[in-house]
Amino acid sequence: MHGAYKVPGGKLVVVDLETREGVLRDVRVAGDFFLEPDEAIEAINGALEGAPVDTTAAGLSARIDAALPPGTTMYGLSSDGVAVAVRRALAHATDWNDYDWQLIHDGPQEPALHMALDEVLTAEVAAGRRPPTLRVWEWGAPAVVIGSFQSLRNEVDPEGAERHGITVVRRISGGGAMFIEPGNTITYSLSVPEALVQGLSFADSYAYLDDWVLGALGDMGIKAWYQPLNDIATEAGKIAGAAQKRMVADGGAVLHHVTMAYDIDADKMTDVLRIGKEKLSDKGTRSAKKRVDPLRRQTGLAREAVIERMIASFRARYGLSVGTVTDEEMARARELAAAKFAGEEWTARVP
């Protein structure tokens, strides 16, 4: 069995192992990390040898920590990262490079249709009728997108939304409200087979699926990091928020979408969103206007250039062919947008 895991902010950890009589055998850990002293690698292998196959990631990590020689130093590696790689091997998880990725980057769409496309395309990936897909959105109208479980009245000021011509839609994933203006927002979705995140905890899957965009930002001179549970941040502030939805039908799939602030009208945002003190205190700031620091200021690049560089970075890592939404997929999405995402019953399902 073979498992691989890119430690967030670190290096690749690879584990090869066998299982016999319910325990791990012939465990070998490798990767492009740095580790001192040399004998620490054998200590890690030895700690994993004979571990029951149902040992949790936390349990595997504890075995490794207990076996490391005094003074061990890890660079780009952690005991937790090794444990996750083991669990991924046991779960027969796939890797990014096991797939032929497809890019969809079409023209502007209305907010309700974007919500529907996420659901339809991810369901198609789960059924095996569509390859794993990176979809870059173009917005046809300003919007507030609220999380699946958020209270509509608690999140959105209806008078402010009407005053600024803001459409309010509810997505299928959890998380918080996002304020969208077409020229000021960069949004993308990943629709991936469940096998890609096998062996990862829910929290770990966020960091794993966000890792490529951290690299893309780094190539643009932005030092960014994953901030649990679902933010991407820099020293200047939060620049993006992610959300996920797991689909269990057919072969299973994960929808992971991210909204990034290229630029933002903070006054308008605070006029439309009801951002409470509890949320601000959780982010360590007193002002909603300071919560998000736009990419325009940090990169000095046009929005289109930021998107082009993000796509190029993904393609260089994993390969990426240009595709499109099929006629059948679009017909289903339009029907779903009208029947569900544009309707009051769904949008106000949590009043």
Side-chain angles (χ1 to χ4, degrees):
M1 299 178 187
H2 177 87
Y5 179 60
K6 170 75 163 51
V7 176
K11 299 292 186 177
L12 182 68
V13 181
V14 178
V15 176
D16 291 285
L17 56 84
E18 302 292 335
T19 60
R20 292 191 292 273
E21 298 180 349
V23 299
L24 308 186
R25 294 298 183 194
D26 303 327
V27 182
R28 289 293 177 265
V29 176
D32 59 354
F33 49 80
F34 301 92
L35 180 64
E36 296 289 348
D38 281 351
E39 54 266 27
I41 191 66
E42 291 305 324
I44 293 173
N45 292 335
L48 297 170
E49 190 74 20
V53 295
D54 59 355
T55 306
T56 65
L60 294 170
S61 179
R63 289 176 69 109
I64 293 169
D65 288 338
L68 289 174
T72 295
T73 303
M74 298 180 176
Y75 298 94
L77 174 68
S78 68
S79 57
D80 290 341
V82 175
V84 170
V86 171
R87 295 308 315 170
R88 284 176 58 76
L90 293 169
H92 301 285
T94 55
D95 184 70
W96 294 85
N97 292 302
D98 292 331
Y99 299 103
D100 295 323
W101 291 87
Q102 186 174 109
L103 169 69
I104 294 175
H105 188 191
D106 293 335
Q109 308 283 6
E110 292 302 304
L113 184 57
H114 276 308
M115 305 302 109
L117 282 168
D118 263 358
E119 183 169 331
V120 168
L121 297 181
T122 306
E124 288 296 285
V125 171
R129 293 187 291 265
R130 158 169 288 282
T133 299
L134 168 65
R135 184 171 74 92
V136 179
W137 305 19
E138 294 294 343
W139 291 90
V144 166
V145 183
I146 61 174
S148 181
F149 310 106
Q150 286 189 295
S151 163
L152 177 60
R153 69 167 66 98
N154 288 347
E155 298 299 325
V156 182
D157 183 326
E159 294 180 357
E162 183 177 1
R163 184 162 51 250
H164 297 292
I166 303 292
T167 299
V168 181
V169 291
R170 185 186 296 274
R171 61 180 182 267
I172 60 174
S173 61
M178 308 301 296
F179 176 74
I180 306 296
E181 291 186 293
N184 289 346
T185 306
I186 297 172
T187 305
Y188 68 86
S189 299
L190 287 168
S191 297
V192 307
E194 187 178 27
L196 184 63
V197 296
Q198 285 288 353
L200 298 177
S201 69
F202 189 80
D204 286 340
S205 71
Y206 273 85
Y208 184 70
L209 295 175
D210 281 338
D211 187 67
W212 74 273
V213 80
L214 300 185
L217 291 169
D219 293 340
M220 289 180 263
I222 299 177
K223 183 180 179 181
W225 58 85
Y226 162 73
Q227 184 170 299
L229 171 67
N230 62 331
D231 288 348
I232 298 174
T234 70
E235 292 181 354
K238 173 183 170 179
I239 58 174
Q244 285 187 11
K245 176 66 177 179
R246 306 296 175 102
M247 296 187 177
V248 298
D250 298 314
V254 177
L255 168 66
H256 179 92
H257 42 202
V258 173
T259 294
M260 313 179 78
Y262 172 73
D263 204 348
I264 196 163
D265 185 331
D267 290 323
K268 187 185 296 184
M269 179 184 72
T270 54
D271 196 31
V272 174
L273 294 183
R274 289 174 169 158
I275 302 174
K277 294 180 180 179
E278 290 294 327
K279 184 176 293 185
L280 295 179
S281 65
D282 180 57
K283 303 299 180 182
T285 180
R286 294 182 179 180
S287 172
K289 298 179 183 180
K290 296 180 180 179
R291 286 187 60 208
V292 180
D293 194 74
L295 286 171
R296 180 186 60 79
R297 180 163 59 250
Q298 294 197 45
T299 65
L301 297 171
R303 175 181 177 274
E304 292 74 15
V306 173
I307 292 173
E308 288 174 3
R309 294 194 185 194
M310 288 172 58
I311 291 172
S313 180
F314 191 102
R315 180 176 285 117
R317 284 173 172 239
Y318 309 125
L320 190 64
S321 62
V322 177
T324 189
V325 179
T326 68
D327 290 342
E328 182 180 353
E329 290 168 339
M330 182 59 75
R332 288 168 54 201
R334 290 191 185 283
E335 181 180 349
L336 188 61
K340 178 178 178 179
F341 292 105
E344 183 71 13
E345 182 178 358
W346 169 258
T347 303
R349 77 183 188 102
V350 183

